[in-house]
Amino acid sequence: MINTIVVVRRLTKDPVIRYTPKSGAAVCTFTLAVNRDFTNKDGEREADFINIVAWKKTGENAANFLKKGSLVGIHGRLQTRNYEGDNGRRVYVAEVIADRIQYFDKREIQGGQATGTFPSDNDAPREQAYTNNYADVGIPIEISEADLPF
């Protein structure tokens, strides 16, 4: 069976990271706001708020590199769970378990070079440096809507 979710949107607030008591595994939670394609009867767009859960290194990277308003792409699966609430009623929760997170926000560039640790799902983060080839061109780069892959 197929259970795949792909979402690209912005965080509604800063991520929260916790660690499991027994194994110490990192668990990061955050919410994405996704606008619906249609308007309601008053002509207003409504949004869905999708809960995301990222485990272990993926969660640690999310907590370190994301903040409210960050644009991210999530590739994961839908998972449901339930528990008994404070009032004794059964509470049902649906959330996306993130297998991969794509970071779309730009990094700060100083002097035509950006350095630092870039997030990855690998166990060991790596130091990378690159030269911005477009830093000193002097003319704006024009991109048409047809050139965009999304």
Side-chain angles (χ1 to χ4, degrees), residues 13-150:
K13 58 185 175 183
D14 289 341
V16 175
I17 190 162
R18 292 183 300 270
Y19 296 89
T20 60
K22 289 185 181 179
S23 67
V27 182
C28 181
T29 57
F30 53 92
T31 303
L32 300 181
V34 179
N35 289 333
R36 294 181 180 172
D37 290 336
F38 53 87
T39 58
N40 63 18
K41 63 181 178 181
D42 298 326
E44 299 171 347
R45 287 207 181 270
E46 295 181 0
D48 292 308
F49 297 92
I50 300 174
N51 296 322
I52 310 293
V53 178
W55 287 86
K56 299 180 181 176
K57 196 64 175 174
T58 302
E60 289 176 347
N61 285 337
N64 289 330
F65 292 98
L66 296 178
K67 63 182 185 229
K68 179 180 179 178
S70 294
L71 181 63
V72 295
I74 304 294
H75 187 276
R77 66 187 189 282
L78 185 63
Q79 180 173 296
T80 60
R81 60 184 173 89
N82 64 72
Y83 61 91
E84 188 173 315
D86 294 337
N87 59 3
R89 299 185 81 173
R90 182 76 32 208
V91 178
Y92 295 90
V93 178
E95 51 202 4
V96 174
I97 307 301
D99 296 322
R100 291 191 310 267
I101 299 176
Q102 179 77 34
Y103 303 85
F104 289 117
D105 286 333
K106 296 178 183 176
R107 294 185 51 84
E108 290 184 25
I109 297 176
Q110 297 176 356
Q113 261 193 353
T115 60
T117 302
F118 289 74
S120 72
D121 287 339
N122 298 334
D123 288 335
R126 59 183 186 255
E127 292 292 319
Q128 295 182 355
Y130 69 90
T131 302
N132 184 354
N133 295 329
Y134 299 102
D136 298 317
V137 174
I139 58 171
I141 299 171
E142 294 188 27
I143 299 174
S144 71
E145 290 280 332
D147 292 334
L148 299 175
F150 46 94

